[in-house]
Amino acid sequence: MCGNEALAEAAIIAGVDAYFGYPITPQNEITAYMSRRMPEEGRVFVQCESELAAINMVFGASATGKRSMTTSSSPGISLMQEGLSYLAGAELPAVVVNVMRGGPGLGNIAPAQGDYFQATRGGGHGDYRTITLGPSSVQELVDCMGLAFDLADEYRMPVIILADGILGQMMEPVVLNGEKRWPKREPPAKDWALTGASGRKQNIVRSLWLKEGVLEELNNKLHRRYKQIEKNEVICEQYEVDYAEIVVVAYGVAARIVRGAVTRAREQGIKVGWIRPITLWPFPTEQISKAAEELKVFLVVEMSLGQMVEDVKLAVAGKAPVLFFGRAGGAVPTVEQVLETIRQLTIPEKR
Amino acid sequence: MGGQRNDEGLSSGPPEGVRMKANGFYEEVIVAGFGGQGIILAGRLLAQTAMKAGKEVTYMPAYGPEMRGGTANSMVVIADEPIASPLVSKPNSLIGMNEASVNKFAPRVKGGGLVIMNSSLIDSEPEVEETTDVLAVPADEIAVELGSQKCANMVAMGAYLQKRGLFGADSAAACLADVLAARYHKTLPMNSEALRRGAEFAKTHS
């Protein structure tokens, strides 16, 4: 079972009621898998005519209170941005998986991390955010799926799982229905859902608010929610940060490579640790800021020419140097390259 | 320091003589050939065998443009520790089923590595480090003897398993049913035998 298929099955386990998809490499296995499994489970599968259709069908299904999702890869996710903005405006939960590939434009089909800005800044128009999860293994992809649906329901907003072509295509051992890494949350009552208004007041789901002041009220409400998410929902992992002189920050597949390089650098006596954000928004600003108090050197490694590095710089706020190493266009850093970068960092440092 | 950013990526390779891992093993394998030779299946079988043996393992198929033009490859990493990258740029071992793939990947095999090459389809000597062990296996010929050229992949895999000594051909044979689609299960005995014959060939030709 490749990562794509594992995440599809995890979505079924997480209780997805409706899947809408349109094919694009490197995530086609998800749509193919869902086309077989969703009907078997008596749930909804639609292969849509376009990404626009898919995200708007997600909107429709979600408005009825059902758990709905779509998946795509970078160019397809760009096409969905209007829908994502509408989901945010209408306060509808949804899960969107982006199995990133090289860009801009149609780019290529190789793995990349070039959509970090798009995912963590909202992506579409308007003043909104999307919770963004950046798993780094097939197991974590599976674990994130349940969490994504829970967060989407709890905060009534779209949640993006930011994977990449490697995670989608690779296979590694995975437990699908084991103990939950993040405990399942009790889903809130969806008393806003369109379920037929007989015997109750009519519900309206919309994102158009023309009356003076009403939209700002919504913006403020969303903002308060986002602040609450930033306070309560940050997930990140750290390794040997307290005793390190160098802290490497990376997410997703890049973080696996960093882990390999850090292990080897430590074997060579270099004092280096790592921080791996799992939630990319909300970003682990506090954790990184705390590490920066002790005048460490930060190295950010990405499969792009530098996106998350800006969030690290915001968190470090000038307290420590923040350096960067990245490969783009579908190129993936090797353990050796990251190790060599770490080794070069240590030589001139005299503090 | 003003910044480490390098828009080209770092072009310099790793320092010479750095061992990949100080403790435990870290085996990086590329299985390569042309479409239809069961390259993907052989890689998945190795990954499944490693998983059943309780090892850390990743499997990554080529899905990009390199798949077109007739070559297929899959990358398997097996280790005692969590695996960093599932992509393999410099393998310890190569199972090369046709000439194009051996020409492409053999020069990348690390010193002290292992190349299993399908000599039924390859005439030339591979370009490898002096310390790399090369075993020429007439995989297609042995496979035809067993009833079908299609199991040449398993002959080569059997030879690899024997030479590397990580898992026995029997443990791999026991995993065949997990990776072969049910409609091919009638070929299980032939494929098991192919694994065994490959191992036997490696034992008698080392």
Side-chain angles (χ1 to χ4, degrees), chain B residues 77-198:
Chain B
V77 184
I78 306 163
D80 282 329
E81 60 181 273
I83 290 159
S85 180
L87 298 184
V88 177
S89 47
K90 294 183 177 167
N92 302 89
S93 303
L94 168 68
I95 302 174
M97 295 302 289
N98 69 353
E99 188 143 5
S101 59
V102 168
N103 289 344
K104 180 173 176 187
F105 292 114
R108 300 187 199 173
V109 174
K110 284 182 189 158
L114 170 66
V115 173
I116 303 288
M117 66 167 200
N118 178 12
S119 57
S120 306
L121 299 181
I122 305 169
D123 296 326
S124 56
E125 284 288 312
E127 189 189 317
V128 290
E129 303 267 343
E130 247 172 59
T131 49
T132 289
D133 192 2
V134 178
L135 180 66
V137 184
D140 281 44
E141 275 121 346
I142 295 173
V144 169
E145 276 174 35
L146 294 173
S148 168
Q149 196 178 9
K150 284 182 182 162
C151 65
N153 57 345
M154 293 301 152
V155 175
M157 183 51 72
Y160 162 79
L161 291 168
Q162 173 66 33
K163 288 290 280 186
R164 232 7 170 189
L166 292 174
F167 319 104
D170 293 349
S171 351
C175 293
L176 273 169
D178 299 332
V179 295
L180 263 178
R183 63 183 181 279
Y184 297 122
H185 278 193
K186 58 180 185 295
T187 68
L188 286 174
M190 181 181 72
N191 278 304
S192 302
E193 182 60 12
L195 283 164
R196 200 189 61 74
R197 283 287 297 276

Side-chain angles (χ1 to χ4, degrees), chain A residues 1 25-26 109-111 165-166 169-174 253 256-257 259-260 263-264 267-268 299 305-306 321 323-327 332-337 339-341 343-345 348-349, chain B residues 1-15 18-23 26 28 44 51 55-61 63-65 68 81-87 89-90 110:
Chain A
M1 203 179 234
T25 306
I109 60 172
I166 291 181
Q169 294 295 324
M170 74 185 283
M171 297 187 186
E172 61 184 341
V174 60
V253 160
R256 301 173 69 111
I257 294 157
R259 190 179 56 203
T263 305
R264 284 181 63 193
E267 286 166 8
Q268 297 174 18
L299 172 69
L305 293 184
L323 310 171
F324 179 76
F325 175 69
R327 300 286 308 270
V332 179
T334 64
V335 169
E336 288 81 4
Q337 284 169 339
L339 176 65
E340 188 53 27
T341 308
R343 285 163 57 94
Q344 283 175 15
L345 285 183
E349 289 304 319
Chain B
M1 237 185 313
Q4 198 66 41
R5 186 170 177 144
N6 180 344
D7 286 349
E8 302 296 318
L10 281 188
S11 53
S12 59
V18 172
R19 286 183 57 195
M20 186 60 202
K21 290 292 156 192
N23 323 308
Y26 203 95
E28 297 180 284
R44 286 188 58 183
M51 184 176 82
K55 299 294 175 193
E56 295 281 348
V57 59
T58 61
Y59 161 88
M60 181 79 195
Y63 68 93
R68 313 217 163 99
E81 60 181 273
I83 290 159
S85 180
L87 298 184
S89 47
K90 294 183 177 167
K110 284 182 189 158

